[in-house]
C-alpha cells in the first residue's frame, strides 16, 4: 500500500505514475474515501477528547458534592454519538481499504516509461554458443535422455505438469543445492517455510486481491498454495518490529511454486517454460529504506552469480513502468539464452518493493533502542527458477549426439558425472 498522506500531497505526481503503470484505479475515488475517513476520524477524536474532559470534570464535581444529574444526559448523548461515528468510520475504512489494495507501488524515477516494448537492456553477459548442428529444444532432449516426461504427468494431473526421473531428478536437486550453498556464502539464511498460507499472508505480499484468480485455493481450510516462497518469507515478520541491529536481514527458501497461469493459454504450451507447478530458490531481504536501492543491485548480482558459475549466457533487463510487478518500485529481469528459440527468456525477477509490502503487513524496525518504529523495505528475487535453469543447461550444453555436458560446478553434486547420455 501507499502512504495516504503522500498520495494526498502529491496527487498529480501519483496520477501520472499510475497512468504510466497502466493502472485502472480511480484515484479520485481513493482520495474521496481517504478524505471521508480522515474527516470522520478527526471529528470523533474531538468528541472523545470532550467526553474525557467532561468525565474528569464530573468526577471533580462529584467529589465536591455538587449535583451532576444535569450533565449525565449530555454525556450519554455524546457517548452515543461517538459510538455511531465509530460505526461510520469502520464502514468507510472498509470501503477505503478495498480501493487502497488495488493501487500498485509507484515506479522509481529510474524506471523507463512505457509497456513491455520500453524494457531496457542493462547488460549482456556471455556469448551464445555457436553449434555446428541444429540445436534441439529441451522438450525433445529431455525425453530422449529418458529424464523428462510430460505424457505421464498429464495422465496424473493434466496439462502444464511434468515428471523428472533418474538423473533428471538428480540434476534438479543438484541445481537447488548448488544455489542454496552459493547464496549461503552471501549471507542468506536458509528457511523451510509453509507452502500453504492464509489470506492475510497473500494480501500482505501483494498477491491478493489482484491475483486471487491465479491462486490455487483449498476453500475448506481457507488456505492457498504459494505462487512463490516470497509470500512465506516476507510474512515471517508480519506485524512485528525488528530490533535494532537486525537489518539487513537475508533469507532464502527452496520450494515448489503453484500458479494457475490464468490467461496464459496458448503461450509456451510446450516444455518447462510455463507450468502450474515448478521449483524455485527465492531470495528475500529486509533492508533500511535508504539502503534498499543499493540492496536491489546486490540481490540482482547474487542471482546473476548462479548464471555466471554455470556459464550460461544471459542479459539483465530493467522493466518499464507498465511491465513491472504490482508490488515493485523497480524490477530487473534476468533472461537466459535458449538456443532452440534463438532468444533470451526470463529466468529471474529481482524487485525492490520499498515499504509497499511492509505497510500492508505491518513490518517495522527500530534503528536504536527506544526509537520510533519505521517501515522496513522488502526485496525479493528468484535465485533462480530451478526448472528454467535445468532446461537452459540441456539446451546450451547439448551435443550433436543428444548427450548433454554437465556444467563443471554441478559435477560434485552429481557424484562426478560429466555427461548425460541418451537412453538406449
Amino acid at each position: 500500500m501507499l502512504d495516504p498522506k503522500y498520495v494526498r500531497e502529491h496527487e498529480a505526481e501519483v496520477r501520472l505514475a499510475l497512468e504510466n503503470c497502466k493502472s485502472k484505479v480511480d484515484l479520485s475515488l481513493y482520495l474521496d474515501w481517504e478524505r471521508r475517513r480522515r474527516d470522520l476520524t478527526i471529528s470523533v477524536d474531538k468528541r472523545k477528547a470532550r467526553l474525557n474532559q467532561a468525565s474528569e470534570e464530573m468526577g471533580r464535581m462529584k467529589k465536591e458534592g455538587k449535583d451532576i444529574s444535569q450533565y449525565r444526559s449530555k454525556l450519554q448523548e455524546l457517548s452515543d454519538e461517538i459510538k455511531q461515528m465509530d460505526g461510520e468510520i469502520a464502514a468507510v475504512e472498509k470501503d477505503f481499504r478495498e480501493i487502497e489494495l488495488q493501487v500498485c507501488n509507484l515506479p522509481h524515477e529510474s524506471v523507463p516509461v512505457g509497456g513491455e516494448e520500453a524494457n531496457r537492456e542493462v547488460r549482456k553477459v556471455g556469448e551464445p554458443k555457436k553449434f555446428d548442428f541444429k540445436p534441439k529444444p529441451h522438450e525433445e532432449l529431455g525425453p530422449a535422455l529418458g529424464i523428462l516426461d510430460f505424457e505421464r504427468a498429464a495422465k496424473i494431473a493434466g496439462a502444464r505438469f511434468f515428471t523428472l526421473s533418474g538423473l533428471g531428478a538428480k540434476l534438479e536437486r543438484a541445481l537447488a543445492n548448488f544455489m542454496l550453498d552459493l547464496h549461503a556464502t552471501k549471507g542468506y539464511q536458509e528457511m523451510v517455510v509453509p507452502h500453504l498460507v492464509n489470506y492475510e499472508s497473500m494480501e500482505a505480499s501483494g498477491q491478493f486481491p489482484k491475483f486471487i484468480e491465479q491462486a490455487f485455493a483449498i476453500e475448506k481450510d481457507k488456505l492457498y498454495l504459494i505462487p512463490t516462497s516470497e509470500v512465506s518469507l516476507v510474512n515471517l515478520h508480519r506485524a512485528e518490529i525488528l530490533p535494532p541491529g537486525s537489518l539487513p536481514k537475508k533469507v532464502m527458501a527452496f520450494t515448489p511454486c503453484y500458479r494457475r497461469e490464468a490467461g496464459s493459454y496458448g503461450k509456451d504450451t510446450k516444455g518447462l517454460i510455463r507450468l502450474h507447478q515448478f521449483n524455485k530458490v527465492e531470495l528475500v531481504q529486509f533492508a533500511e529504506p535508504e539502503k534498499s536501492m543499493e540492496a536491489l543491485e546486490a540481490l540482482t548480482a547474487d542471482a546473476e552469480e548462479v548464471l555466471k558459475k554455470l556459464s550460461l549466457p544471459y542479459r539483465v533487463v530493467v522493466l518499464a513502468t507498465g511491465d513491472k510487478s504490482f508490488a515493485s518500485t523497480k524490477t530487473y529481469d534476468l533472461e537466459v539464452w535458449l538456443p532452440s528459440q534463438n532468444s533470451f527468456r526470463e529466468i529471474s525477477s529481482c524487485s525492490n518493493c520499498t515499504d509497499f509490502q511492509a505497510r500492508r503487513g505491518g513490518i517495522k524496525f527500530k534503528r536504536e533502542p527506544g526509537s520510533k518504529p519505521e517501515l522496513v523495505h522488502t526485496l525479493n528475487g528468484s535465485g533462480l527458477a530451478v526448472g528454467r535453469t535445468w532446461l537452459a543447461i540441456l539446451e546450451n550444453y547439448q551435443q550433436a549426439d543428444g548427450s548433454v555436458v554437465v556444467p563443471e560446478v554441478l559435477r560434485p553434486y552429481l557424484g562426478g558425472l560429466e555427461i548425460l547420455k541418451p537412453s538406449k
Side-chain angles (χ1 to χ4, degrees):
M1 295 186 298
L2 303 181
D3 179 0
K5 182 180 178 182
Y6 180 87
V7 177
R8 186 170 66 249
E9 295 178 352
H10 301 81
E11 180 181 349
E13 180 184 332
V14 172
R15 280 189 184 279
L16 179 59
L18 292 178
E19 181 181 331
N20 290 337
C21 291
K22 300 182 179 180
S23 173
K24 297 181 181 179
V25 171
D26 186 341
L27 191 63
S28 295
L29 185 60
Y30 171 101
L31 291 167
D32 183 46
W33 281 115
E34 198 276 329
R35 177 189 55 77
R36 292 192 207 181
R37 182 186 68 164
R38 187 162 31 90
D39 290 348
L40 277 169
T41 300
I42 292 172
S43 183
V44 78
D45 284 347
K46 288 180 179 178
R47 284 168 171 76
K48 287 179 179 179
R50 281 167 45 198
L51 180 63
N52 290 336
Q53 186 178 4
S55 296
E56 291 175 3
E57 182 64 25
M58 281 183 59
R60 286 194 294 269
M61 292 174 64
K62 190 173 182 180
K63 285 182 180 179
E64 295 171 1
K66 296 180 179 180
D67 182 17
I68 60 173
S69 57
Q70 59 179 320
Y71 295 102
R72 281 202 174 111
S73 59
K74 291 182 179 180
L75 283 180
Q76 185 59 51
E77 183 179 333
L78 185 58
S79 179
D80 292 341
E81 191 176 341
I82 290 171
K83 186 177 180 180
Q84 180 182 346
M85 291 183 72
D86 279 341
E88 292 177 16
I89 290 175
V92 169
E93 182 71 51
K94 181 180 178 182
D95 289 330
F96 175 66
R97 175 84 173 177
E98 185 176 328
I99 191 170
E100 184 180 33
L101 290 172
Q102 298 174 30
V103 182
C104 67
N105 201 353
L106 303 182
H108 188 262
E109 59 185 9
S110 63
V111 173
V113 176
E116 185 177 353
E117 74 288 345
N119 292 347
R120 186 177 69 242
E121 183 180 291
V122 177
R123 56 186 168 272
K124 192 178 290 182
V125 180
E127 288 294 327
K129 178 181 176 182
K130 289 181 171 60
F131 294 90
D132 56 7
F133 61 92
K134 184 179 179 180
K136 295 179 180 180
H138 68 277
E139 61 266 24
E140 292 182 21
L141 288 165
L145 287 165
I147 60 176
L148 173 63
D149 193 323
F150 293 105
E151 293 181 2
R152 288 189 174 90
K155 176 177 65 176
I156 298 168
R160 297 186 187 271
F161 289 94
F162 69 100
T163 64
L164 299 178
S165 58
L167 289 175
K170 195 169 184 179
L171 177 60
E172 175 103 348
R173 180 159 48 88
L175 279 167
N177 286 335
F178 164 65
M179 293 177 193
L180 292 169
D181 288 346
L182 178 62
H183 295 316
T185 66
K186 306 293 184 179
Y188 292 90
Q189 180 184 19
E190 184 177 353
M191 306 289 298
V192 173
V193 294
H195 300 176
L196 289 165
V197 298
N198 53 32
Y199 188 99
E200 291 79 8
S201 294
M202 294 288 264
E203 183 179 274
S205 64
Q207 299 294 325
F208 286 178
K210 183 174 176 61
F211 303 109
I212 192 168
E213 295 301 322
Q214 295 181 24
F216 284 103
I218 301 177
E219 296 180 1
K220 179 181 178 181
D221 301 298
K222 296 182 179 179
L223 292 172
Y224 303 86
L225 286 163
I226 56 172
T228 163
S229 57
E230 170 200 341
V231 175
S232 301
L233 293 172
V234 166
N235 279 276
L236 285 171
H237 298 296
R238 175 157 51 92
E240 290 184 20
I241 299 175
L242 296 170
S246 58
L247 299 181
K249 181 168 186 177
K250 302 178 180 181
V251 289
M252 62 180 174
F254 170 59
T255 68
C257 304
Y258 306 90
R259 300 182 185 180
R260 195 176 294 279
E261 292 293 352
S264 68
Y265 295 98
K267 297 180 180 179
D268 299 309
T269 54
K270 293 182 179 180
L272 299 170
I273 293 290
R274 197 179 296 270
L275 301 166
H276 291 313
Q277 177 186 328
F278 60 94
N279 295 321
K280 182 155 67 85
V281 172
E282 185 73 6
L283 309 175
V284 164
Q285 290 193 26
F286 300 87
E288 293 173 328
E290 68 276 11
K291 296 179 181 178
S292 66
M293 293 310 297
E294 179 184 342
L296 174 61
E297 300 299 325
L299 185 146
T300 304
D302 292 338
E304 286 185 72
E305 188 69 15
V306 178
L307 293 167
K308 288 178 180 178
K309 288 190 176 296
L310 290 171
S311 297
L312 290 172
Y314 70 94
R315 68 174 185 169
V316 180
V317 176
V318 59
L319 300 189
T321 55
D323 199 33
K324 73 172 185 65
S325 65
F326 177 78
S328 167
T329 189
K330 185 174 184 177
T331 296
Y332 289 115
D333 269 6
L334 307 188
E335 298 179 349
V336 69
W337 177 255
L338 295 187
S340 69
Q341 298 185 18
N342 197 37
S343 63
F344 290 97
R345 298 301 303 268
E346 180 198 339
I347 197 169
S348 172
S349 283
C350 300
S351 301
N352 182 0
C353 296
T354 58
D355 62 4
F356 188 83
Q357 294 175 322
R359 192 177 298 277
R360 284 176 168 235
I363 310 170
K364 299 182 179 182
F365 76 104
K366 284 189 175 184
R367 294 184 185 272
E368 300 173 355
S371 65
K372 183 180 178 181
E374 302 175 46
L375 291 168
V376 304
H377 279 198
T378 58
L379 304 97
N380 66 81
S382 305
L384 302 168
V386 177
R388 293 192 180 188
T389 311
W390 189 97
L391 70 90
I393 287 173
L394 259 64
E395 293 205 6
N396 283 278
Y397 281 89
Q398 64 179 292
Q399 301 187 104
D401 63 356
S403 63
V404 174
V405 176
V406 176
E408 192 171 340
V409 293
L410 292 180
R411 293 174 187 176
Y413 295 90
L414 291 165
L417 184 68
E418 297 182 3
I419 297 179
L420 303 175
K421 297 181 179 180
S423 301
K424 293 184 180 180

